């Protein structure tokens, strides 16, 4: 019997509301999504559409009101050890050095001190932080701080990496450089991570990085469109991706306008 590889992430009919009884406010509804091995998926939508709420549910930081989330075929019922997240706001511990921030999650896993040190040193080298191990977050630029965020998330070797607008707080140059370096690591299979989910409002970023782009629109938010990027990632450029960028932008604008009335 053929062994069929299960998706890294399987979401079925997930809904989330806040409040109680008659005062409930629906945030997302009817979310069904599979993310396969070696796949990068973008969730694109305007602010307030429920994108970050969806990520927090996937990570097990919030519980859905209804529906199910499976990661590596196991139900997500709380913080999931197979999932890491990189945040827009860096979310670093200012009282810890670069090494301390990266080691924090490893120590929380209860790993031996030698393994914590090995992974921390390896990740500092991998993510371009060599020479900054003992620096404090306040001493670093935004781009360097976000490198720490990536290093901390990747050090625990998650199967699934969630990216919540991780480049939006950076200047254009830093964001481009960090995106390129992340994609280089992904293409070279350097990471143990098997799948990525990127939340963004940047259409060009989504098209350049991802295999699929999903639109989250409506109020409450739901997934309404699924665009496959048929161009090999290493061949994508501003010319051959522009028609798709324009199509996605136009579709998103139309959906937002339709649901705003």
């Amino acid at each position: 019997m053929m062994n069929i590889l299960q998706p890294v992430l399987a979401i079925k009919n997930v809904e989330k509301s806040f409040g109680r009884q008659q005062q409930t406010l629906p945030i997302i509804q009817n979310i069904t999504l599979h993310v396969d091995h070696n796949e990068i998926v973008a969730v694109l939508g305007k602010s307030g559409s429920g994108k970050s709420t969806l990520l927090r549910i996937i990570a097990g930081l919030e519980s859905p009101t209804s529906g199910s989330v499976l990661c590596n075929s196991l139900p997500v019922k709380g913080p999931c050890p197979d999932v890491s997240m990189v945040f827009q706001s860096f979310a670093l511990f200012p009282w810890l050095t670069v090494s301390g921030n990266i080691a924090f999650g490893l120590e929380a896993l209860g790993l031996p001190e030698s393994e914590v040190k090995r992974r921390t040193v390896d990740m500092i080298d991998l993510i371009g932080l060599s020479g900054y191990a003992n620096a404090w977050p306040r001493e670093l630029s935004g781009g360097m701080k976000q490198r720490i965020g990536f290093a901390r998330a990747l050090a625990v070797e998650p199967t699934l990496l969630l990216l919540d607008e991780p480049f939006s707080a950076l200047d254009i140059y830093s964001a481009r450089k960090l995106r390129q370096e992340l994609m280089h690591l992904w293409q070279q299979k350097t990471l143990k991570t098997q799948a990525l989910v990127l939340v963004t409002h940047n259409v060009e970023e989504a098209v350049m990085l991802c295999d699929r782009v999903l639109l989250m629109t409506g109020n409450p938010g739901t997934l309404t469109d699924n665009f496959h990027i048929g161009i090999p990632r290493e061949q994508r450029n501003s010319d051959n991706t522009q028609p798709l960028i324009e199509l996605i932008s136009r579709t998103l604008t139309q959906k937002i306008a339709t649901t705003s009335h």
Side-chain angles (χ1 to χ4, degrees):
M1 189 172 183
M2 186 170 62
N3 181 26
I4 300 175
L5 199 62
Q6 295 298 311
V8 173
L9 175 68
I11 302 173
K12 186 174 181 181
N13 299 330
V14 160
E15 302 195 355
K16 179 67 177 180
S17 299
F18 292 108
R20 297 180 181 176
Q21 298 177 349
Q22 302 302 317
Q23 301 297 317
T24 58
L25 176 66
I27 305 300
I28 58 175
Q29 68 176 7
N30 194 29
I31 302 290
T32 296
L33 168 65
H34 286 181
V35 179
D36 292 322
H37 288 260
N38 300 315
E39 187 174 34
I40 305 178
V41 173
V43 178
L44 191 68
K46 70 173 184 176
S47 297
S49 60
K51 305 186 303 298
S52 293
T53 297
L54 176 60
L55 276 199
R56 292 178 63 82
I57 290 173
I58 294 171
L61 302 177
E62 288 186 20
S63 299
T65 304
S66 61
S68 64
V69 180
L70 300 179
C71 183
N72 285 338
S73 301
L74 297 175
V76 175
K77 298 295 186 182
C80 183
D82 294 326
V83 178
S84 281
M85 186 182 295
V86 180
F87 301 90
Q88 174 184 1
S89 60
F90 311 140
L92 303 179
F93 301 118
W95 60 88
L96 295 178
T97 63
V98 169
S99 287
N101 269 279
I102 296 171
F104 183 85
L106 298 170
E107 292 167 347
L109 292 177
L111 296 175
E113 184 179 344
S114 59
E115 179 67 5
V116 170
K117 185 175 181 180
R118 182 191 68 78
R119 287 206 207 176
T120 300
V121 170
D122 287 349
M123 197 52 60
I124 283 174
D125 291 339
L126 185 67
I127 216 74
L129 292 166
S130 297
Y132 292 91
N134 297 317
W136 302 97
R138 65 177 179 271
E139 299 171 336
L140 303 176
S141 67
M144 294 297 287
K145 289 177 182 176
Q146 195 58 301
R147 285 177 188 273
I148 304 172
F150 272 99
R152 183 176 59 187
L154 292 169
V156 298
E157 299 180 348
T159 304
L160 176 63
L161 181 64
L162 306 178
L163 307 175
D164 192 2
E165 301 195 24
F167 310 108
S168 62
L170 306 179
D171 63 84
I172 293 174
Y173 172 77
S174 297
R176 183 187 300 119
K177 188 168 178 20
L178 195 50
R179 281 195 298 263
Q180 290 172 343
E181 292 179 7
L182 177 64
M183 285 302 98
H184 177 72
L185 295 175
W186 176 260
Q187 297 281 89
Q188 296 298 313
K189 306 293 184 185
T190 306
L191 308 176
K192 304 251 178 169
T193 300
Q194 294 294 309
L196 277 69
V197 176
L198 168 69
V199 155
T200 181
H201 58 264
N202 186 323
V203 179
E204 181 179 359
E205 177 177 278
V207 170
M208 294 302 290
L209 295 184
C210 299
D211 301 295
R212 285 190 290 142
V213 177
L214 310 177
L215 300 189
M216 179 175 275
T217 60
N219 187 18
T222 190
L223 298 177
T224 56
D225 297 83
N226 183 0
F227 295 90
H228 287 267
I229 314 301
I231 307 166
R233 192 174 284 107
E234 64 275 8
Q235 296 176 18
R236 295 176 199 177
N237 57 53
S238 57
D239 291 328
N240 61 21
T241 59
Q242 193 58 37
L244 187 54
I245 291 171
E246 291 176 358
L247 173 61
I248 294 173
S249 298
R250 187 165 59 249
T251 304
L252 181 59
T253 300
Q254 290 169 351
K255 289 288 173 72
I256 291 173
T258 301
T259 56
S260 295
H261 296 304

